[in-house]
Amino acid sequence: MGESSVWLFVVERSSQLWVKTGEHIVLAGLSTVLAVLIGVPLGILAYRHKGIRGALLAIVGVLQTVPSLALLAFLLALLGKIGFIPSVIALTLYALLPIVRNTLTGLQGLSPAVQEAARGVGMTKRQRLWLVELPLALPIIIAGIRTAAVVSVGIATLCAFIGAGGLGDFIYRGLALRNKGLILLGAIPAAILALVVDGTIAACEWSIRVRLKPHERSWRARLKPVAALLPLLIILLGLTTNLWNPLEQGKDRPVIRIASKDFSEQYIVGEMFAQLIEDRLNLKVERKFNMGGSMICHEALVNGAVSMYPEYT
C-alpha cells in the first residue's frame, strides 16, 4: 500500500475514525474516573484498617486476574445488556488494582516524623488525611492512576466484542477480513491515545506539584491551568461525538439493532439485512457487528439488546 493509498484509506474512513476514537475515549475516561472515585477511598480504608487490608487487596487482585473476555461475557449475562454499561463496569474493575495499591503504598511510605508533627499541632485524623497525608502521597497515587488509565485504553479495544464500539471495532474487523489497513487503523490510534492519556495525566500532576512564586509570570505559570485541565479536555473531546456524530442520521426514526459475529460472512449477511431495512422501511439501523460469538449474540438477542443477527443453527 503506497503512501497516497494509505492517506486515501484514512481519509475515506475519517468520520468512522472520529466516532470510534471518541467512543474509546469515553469508555476509558469514564471507567478511569470511576476507578479513582472508588479506588482511592478503598486505599485509604486499607491504610486505616489493617484487619481488612489483606482481604481488600486480594479481592482487587483477583479481579485483575479474570480474563477480559470472560468478565465481559459474565457481565453481559448478568446485566442482560451489551455495549456501554457492562464495558464501563469491566474496565472500572480492571483499573482498581493499581489505584488501590498505589494509594496504600503512598500513605504507608510517609515519614513518621511528619505524621507526628501533624498530631503535635492538634490536627484531627481527617485534617491530617486531607492536609498532610494525601498531598504527600499524591505523586505515587497519580502514578497508579496513570497506569490504570493506560491499561483501560488498551483493554477497551476488547469491548468491541460486546458491541461497545471504540477502536477495537477496526482491529477485530480487520482480523476477521484479513485487512491489515483496518487493523492498523485501530491499533495505531489506540497506541497514540495511550501515550496522549499518559502524557496529559503527567502534565496534570506537574501543574499540581510545581510551586511558583506569587509574582512569577513566566510561561510555566501560564501553562499550569492548561496542564491541570488537559485530562478533562480529553474526556470532553470524546463526549463531543455524542453531540456531533457524522455517522448518525435519522435520530427521529425508530431504531433496530442488527448484530453479527466476528467473521466475514456474518459481516456480509448483517450488512445485507441493514441495507435492505434502510432501503425499504422507515427505520434507523444500528449496526452491532463483530460481536464475539454465538453465546454473546444470542444472550443479547434474548435480553432485547439487539433485534436480530444471522445464525445457522
Side-chain angles (χ1 to χ4, degrees):
M1 189 180 289
E3 184 177 341
S4 59
S5 59
V6 169
W7 177 247
L8 182 62
F9 182 84
V10 174
V11 170
E12 286 177 346
R13 291 161 178 78
S14 58
S15 58
Q16 295 180 46
L17 184 60
W18 163 263
V19 172
K20 297 303 177 184
T21 302
E23 290 172 350
H24 208 94
I25 291 172
V26 172
L27 281 171
L30 180 58
S31 60
T32 302
V33 170
L34 291 175
V36 171
L37 295 177
I38 298 170
V40 172
L42 287 179
I44 296 170
L45 190 66
Y47 171 66
R48 288 284 178 83
H49 303 281
K50 294 182 180 179
I52 65 171
R53 184 179 301 168
L56 185 58
L57 291 176
I59 291 171
V60 294
V62 167
L63 289 173
Q64 192 83 6
T65 64
V66 177
S68 308
L69 289 178
L71 183 59
L72 288 169
F74 172 76
L75 289 172
L76 171 64
L78 181 66
L79 300 175
K81 295 180 180 293
I82 62 169
F84 186 76
I85 293 176
S87 298
V88 169
I89 293 174
L91 292 173
T92 302
L93 294 176
Y94 273 109
L96 282 178
L97 180 61
I99 296 175
V100 173
R101 192 175 291 279
N102 278 45
T103 301
L104 176 61
T105 302
L107 293 172
Q108 285 179 322
L110 297 178
S111 169
V114 173
Q115 295 174 313
E116 183 62 33
R119 284 192 291 268
V121 298
M123 285 186 176
T124 64
K125 283 188 175 182
R126 179 173 295 181
Q127 289 173 328
R128 291 201 305 271
L129 176 67
W130 288 103
L131 300 178
V132 178
E133 295 171 345
L134 282 178
L136 291 175
L138 192 61
I140 297 177
I141 296 173
I142 291 181
I145 295 172
R146 288 173 67 179
T147 302
V150 172
V151 167
S152 294
V153 171
I155 296 179
T157 57
L158 297 174
C159 297
F161 273 116
I162 60 169
L167 294 167
D169 270 352
F170 290 130
I171 296 173
Y172 298 118
R173 197 187 313 164
L175 289 171
L177 301 177
R178 298 182 182 180
N179 187 323
K180 294 179 182 178
L182 281 175
I183 295 172
L184 294 176
L185 191 64
I188 293 175
I192 294 173
L193 183 59
L195 293 174
V196 169
V197 167
D198 184 64
T200 55
I201 298 176
C204 183
E205 179 191 2
W206 171 83
S207 71
I208 296 170
R209 179 170 42 84
V210 172
R211 294 182 180 180
L212 301 172
K213 296 178 181 178
H215 62 275
E216 189 172 349
R217 292 293 182 269
S218 67
W219 62 271
R220 297 175 71 204
R222 289 191 291 269
L223 280 179
K224 279 190 70 175
V226 177
L229 292 173
L230 278 177
L232 179 61
L233 292 176
I234 293 293
I235 294 176
L236 288 176
L237 176 63
L239 290 174
T240 55
T241 59
N242 294 325
L243 301 176
W244 183 73
N245 185 338
L247 303 179
E248 199 165 278
Q249 300 174 352
K251 288 184 178 181
D252 56 336
R253 289 180 291 164
V255 175
I256 182 169
R257 295 179 179 86
I258 298 179
S260 81
K261 291 181 261 188
D262 55 345
F263 57 92
S264 55
E265 186 176 342
Q266 285 268 312
Y267 284 126
I268 295 168
V269 178
E271 185 63 30
M272 288 169 62
F273 287 174
Q275 291 190 21
L276 281 169
I277 291 171
E278 286 173 334
D279 183 55
R280 301 186 183 187
L281 300 174
N282 187 33
L283 295 173
K284 176 182 176 293
V285 176
E286 191 173 304
R287 293 162 173 82
K288 295 291 184 180
F289 295 170
N290 195 59
M291 292 175 63
S294 296
M295 188 200 77
I296 292 177
C297 287
H298 187 259
E299 282 291 330
L301 184 68
V302 169
N303 291 303
V306 299
S307 309
M308 59 189 300
Y309 78 98
E311 185 56 85
Y312 312 120
T313 56

